[in-house]
Amino acid sequence: MVTGDENEVAVLDRVALTYPGPPAVTALHPADLTIARGDYVSVVGPSGSGKSTFLNILGLLDRPTSGRYLLDGIDTATLDEGRRSALRGRRIGFVFQAYHLVPQRTALENVMLGLLYRGIKVAERRSRASGALERVGLAHRAQAVPTQLSGGERQRVAIARALVGEPSLLLCDEPTGNLDSASARTILDLIAELWRGGATILAVTHDESVAERANRRLEIVDGRLTVS
């Protein structure tokens, strides 16, 4: 079912997640949030605060136990796992702290993997992947494998892979956590450039230098989401 405002990318309506016991553990207390198209949201909080649970719900990796989550106006609670997976592949881009690149594949091939299940022909996937690498400034490293790339370059490949499918929402999980300060600034500058270019971004972090780049800031403490 499609509903809601077309300018709203993600809407959480009293969304919560409780793991059954005994004793039951509430990882995310009922949360309300609207992410508008073009937002750049940071989510901060200490380790174990519920940031990963929150990110996994937004990324359709975990299913909430109560509440309603709309992604691009689609009520995700009405979808079976196959349709949730398809929606995730089309509308969500992930950038992880650990990059998650396939070591035997070139940068270009890793980015092409972002389109693997779209039913797109190889030549078109290659063309789009080349464009995504150019967008993150790595066209000249297209044939390098991950072991030939610096940490900052690997993260740029991961960002290109996340962007190649033109997702509605880019989710970044500690995107600079494995980088030195100079590489981290480069990645944060790139993410900010993507945002200014129209991307909708949510970054989960414990790093203030990451959080301060966003135009909206949220905080999670003990599974409770608040505007800080």
Side-chain angles (χ1 to χ4, degrees):
M1 182 176 73
V2 179
T3 184
D5 188 329
E6 65 179 12
N7 291 317
E8 297 173 342
V9 174
V11 178
L12 303 184
D13 178 14
R14 304 298 290 168
V15 165
L17 192 153
T18 298
Y19 295 106
V25 176
T26 298
L28 181 67
H29 292 270
D32 296 307
L33 176 67
T34 297
I35 300 174
R37 210 164 299 282
D39 264 350
Y40 183 177
V41 182
S42 66
V43 181
V44 299
S47 296
S49 61
K51 299 192 304 296
S52 294
T53 296
F54 178 69
L55 188 79
N56 287 345
I57 289 173
L58 282 175
L60 298 176
L61 297 173
D62 287 346
R63 190 185 287 268
T65 49
S66 62
R68 190 169 69 141
Y69 172 28
L70 302 180
L71 177 61
D72 278 342
I74 299 169
D75 187 349
T76 63
T78 66
L79 306 179
D80 61 25
E81 288 306 314
R83 288 187 292 169
R84 278 171 62 88
S85 179
L87 183 66
R88 181 172 61 246
R90 291 195 309 271
R91 314 259 181 153
I92 301 287
F94 291 97
V95 177
F96 299 101
Q97 177 177 342
Y99 322 130
H100 295 319
L101 302 179
V102 180
Q104 300 85 4
R105 302 271 187 168
T106 66
L108 180 65
E109 290 167 340
N110 267 284
V111 177
M112 289 173 66
L113 290 174
L115 296 170
L116 186 60
Y117 301 107
R118 294 287 193 92
I120 300 172
K121 293 182 178 179
V122 173
E124 178 65 16
R125 295 207 314 267
R126 186 178 299 275
S127 175
R128 291 194 192 184
S130 295
L133 282 174
E134 184 173 358
R135 189 175 179 187
V136 301
L138 275 188
H140 64 295
R141 301 290 273 154
Q143 298 307 314
V145 296
T147 55
Q148 297 171 322
L149 300 172
S150 69
E153 288 175 327
R154 293 180 199 181
Q155 193 61 295
R156 281 193 275 167
V157 172
I159 291 171
R161 181 184 57 197
L163 291 172
V164 71
E166 300 182 352
S168 300
L169 180 61
L170 183 65
L171 297 177
C172 303
D173 186 6
E174 300 286 2
T176 62
N178 283 348
L179 303 177
D180 60 70
S181 58
S183 296
R185 284 193 298 272
T186 298
I187 292 301
L188 291 177
D189 288 344
L190 172 60
I191 292 173
E193 181 182 336
L194 295 172
W195 171 53
R196 289 191 294 269
T200 304
I201 299 167
L202 182 137
V204 167
T205 184
H206 66 275
D207 187 336
E208 284 298 324
S209 66
V210 177
E212 68 185 9
R213 296 291 192 108
N215 72 318
R216 295 179 61 194
R217 177 188 170 111
L218 308 174
E219 185 173 358
I220 294 183
V221 177
D222 296 332
R224 299 183 187 277
L225 181 70
T226 60
V227 177
S228 61

